[in-house]
Amino acid sequence: MIIEVDKNDNFLCLRAREDFYSGNHIHRASQLILLDPENRMLLQKRSPAKFWFPNRYTYSVSGTVAGESYEVCMEREMLEELGISVPFRRLFKIPCISGNKGAYHTVFTGRCTEETAHLIRFDPEEAVSIEWIGLEELHRAVETEPGKYTPSLRAGIMKIFEEGCEKYLF
């Protein structure tokens, strides 16, 4: 069951995941900006089988909040999608809503060690590949080729660079 919220992010009810495919409901999602010791961010390229934004690049971890908090969702999704767990902290919430569909995305950041980075594996049901990219390079790519990235990743990266990376990531 997935949390449905209204346009102000107030809890309404729990709904079956399939109900959200209609595009008539707003949900919550957790996203992770995972950095390595060189301040590169891990991206996943979404599987072509994904309902929303197939074949686009997104955060290293991206999950729909079930009947849980954003933080519990992030911990669960990190283990499921990457096979690791690292400390993380909340950065900000961004709405990606059009009409009565979309989601409130809470973006977190975490940092892995060199050792942890070598343990990462990706879930082929979620992603076809993962890759590390420098933040400046990602920012340029999001601006020049926005169609390659999910709307929530674009919104999060633009917010970080508009307000200053140091405030959020370092």
Side-chain angles (χ1 to χ4, degrees):
M1 300 294 281
I2 305 297
I3 292 176
E4 180 184 2
V5 296
D6 65 15
K7 289 184 179 187
N8 296 313
D9 196 24
N10 296 309
F11 176 86
L12 294 176
C13 63
L14 290 174
R15 286 189 173 274
R17 176 179 294 276
E18 295 77 26
D19 290 353
F20 291 90
Y21 296 148
S22 71
N24 295 322
H25 306 289
I26 301 169
H27 65 281
R28 291 178 175 164
S30 291
Q31 318 284 344
L32 179 65
I33 294 175
L34 183 63
L35 300 171
D36 71 0
E38 298 173 37
N39 285 326
R40 295 178 304 170
M41 182 176 160
L42 185 65
L43 292 183
Q44 65 167 284
K45 185 171 184 183
R46 292 174 61 83
S47 164
K50 298 299 282 182
F51 184 81
W52 287 298
F53 312 109
N55 294 312
R56 290 196 193 179
Y57 290 96
T58 192
Y59 297 93
S60 58
V61 175
S62 179
T64 304
V65 178
E68 61 200 351
S69 69
Y70 285 106
E71 289 79 6
V72 169
C73 174
M74 179 50 47
E75 184 66 34
R76 175 180 53 77
E77 292 285 345
M78 192 183 329
L79 287 169
E80 288 175 9
E81 292 186 22
L82 299 177
I84 64 166
S85 179
V86 299
F88 58 90
R89 67 180 174 94
R90 183 186 288 232
L91 294 180
F92 49 78
K93 186 187 300 186
I94 49 175
C96 292
I97 299 167
S98 175
N100 289 324
K101 65 180 180 177
Y104 280 93
H105 296 266
T106 296
V107 179
F108 296 88
T109 187
R111 185 174 300 277
C112 63
T113 64
E114 202 169 303
E115 296 78 28
T116 310
H118 291 293
L119 298 174
I120 293 173
R121 56 153 180 79
F122 68 92
D123 179 351
E125 289 183 22
E126 295 289 332
V128 293
S129 65
I130 56 174
E131 64 184 77
W132 295 99
I133 185 169
L135 291 172
E136 294 284 344
E137 181 182 352
L138 177 58
H139 181 236
R140 282 190 301 277
V142 163
E143 287 184 316
T144 60
E145 300 179 276
K148 288 185 171 184
Y149 304 91
T150 62
S152 63
L153 177 70
R154 289 193 317 263
I157 295 302
M158 297 309 288
K159 179 176 178 71
I160 286 169
F161 276 87
E162 286 168 5
E163 297 183 13
C165 285
E166 305 79 31
K167 175 180 177 181
Y168 291 112
L169 304 175
F170 309 112

